[in-house]
Amino acid sequence: TKALTYDFLSVTAPHTIAVTYKIKTYLITTSTDANGSITASPTINHGSNTTITMTPNIGYEIKTLTVDGSVVTNALTYDFTNVTDTHTIAVTYQLKTYLITTTAGTNGAITASPTINYGTDATITITPETGYEVDVLTVDTVIVTSALSHTFTTVTGPHSIGVTFKIKTYVITTTAGINGGITASPTINHGANTTITMTPNAGYEID
């Protein structure tokens, strides 16, 4: 039996005793969930260093990292240095979320969930006030075709969307026969008033 002492009792003859030594090893206990992995040497020699590697599945990131029962700063690696005892390390993962940054000018609104999970779709709704319409729609700093909605599909990063609005204008289409004219502003803003002037030639009147 291994022991740090051995007693010879009532010695009446010569004896031999021999001992060999080996370096101490310590267990590194790891745990994780189904959304990633953790890689470590199961044992480490006394006084040595070891690096633990955390690998989230695609679309996931570290939620909590716990070392010897204490929560530490999230990182994809953790170093145990000058090991002199057993250790535990546990990691949990969570789905990544991304920010959707929206900006809207006056005379309208833009509606979106502020964050979106990795791999999902997000539809942004644009609502002009009465009498207004979309002027410029910008998605991730690129001007796109004006629309009342925009969908980000299979999101894998943050996005931005901005919109400005302009008042609606309507065309005033005029036609006049020979022997007179008609004068009008070619377009008129929503809700505004306009006056159309008919001018017969000399000697003529409106029929």
Side-chain angles (χ1 to χ4, degrees):
T1 302
K2 296 174 183 178
L4 294 179
T5 61
Y6 185 87
D7 296 324
F8 289 110
L9 303 176
S10 302
V11 175
T12 59
H15 292 281
T16 62
I17 185 168
V19 62
T20 60
Y21 297 95
K22 64 180 180 181
I23 196 165
K24 287 183 176 180
T25 59
Y26 304 102
L27 184 66
I28 305 294
T29 303
T30 63
S31 63
T32 186
D33 60 24
N35 298 314
S37 62
I38 187 169
T39 306
S41 174
T43 58
I44 185 70
N45 287 345
H46 180 93
S48 296
N49 305 325
T50 189
T51 298
I52 316 299
T53 302
M54 277 64 67
T55 307
N57 291 346
I58 294 174
Y60 286 81
E61 63 188 357
I62 293 174
K63 182 179 181 181
T64 57
L65 182 60
T66 306
V67 176
D68 294 332
S70 299
V71 175
V72 298
T73 302
N74 290 344
L76 294 177
T77 60
Y78 186 86
D79 294 323
F80 290 109
T81 58
N82 189 30
V83 173
T84 58
D85 205 345
T86 57
H87 290 286
T88 62
I89 183 167
V91 61
T92 60
Y93 299 99
Q94 63 185 357
L95 198 61
K96 288 181 177 180
T97 58
Y98 301 102
L99 185 66
I100 305 294
T101 303
T102 62
T103 55
T106 56
N107 304 309
I110 189 167
T111 305
S113 173
T115 58
I116 185 71
N117 287 342
Y118 176 94
T120 57
D121 300 341
T123 297
I124 315 301
T125 302
I126 297 149
T127 309
E129 292 178 0
T130 300
Y132 287 82
E133 62 188 356
V134 173
D135 185 14
V136 178
L137 181 60
T138 305
V139 175
D140 295 331
T141 72
V142 176
I143 294 174
V144 298
T145 302
S146 294
L148 294 179
S149 68
H150 181 83
T151 300
F152 294 107
T153 58
T154 316
V155 172
T156 58
H159 289 284
S160 65
I161 183 167
V163 61
T164 59
F165 301 95
K166 64 181 179 181
I167 197 164
K168 287 182 176 180
T169 58
Y170 305 101
V171 175
I172 306 296
T173 302
T174 62
T175 56
I178 59 174
N179 303 311
I182 187 169
T183 304
S185 174
T187 59
I188 184 70
N189 286 347
H190 180 95
N193 304 322
T194 188
T195 299
I196 314 300
T197 303
M198 278 65 69
T199 309
N201 291 347
Y204 286 83
E205 64 184 0
I206 294 174
D207 187 14

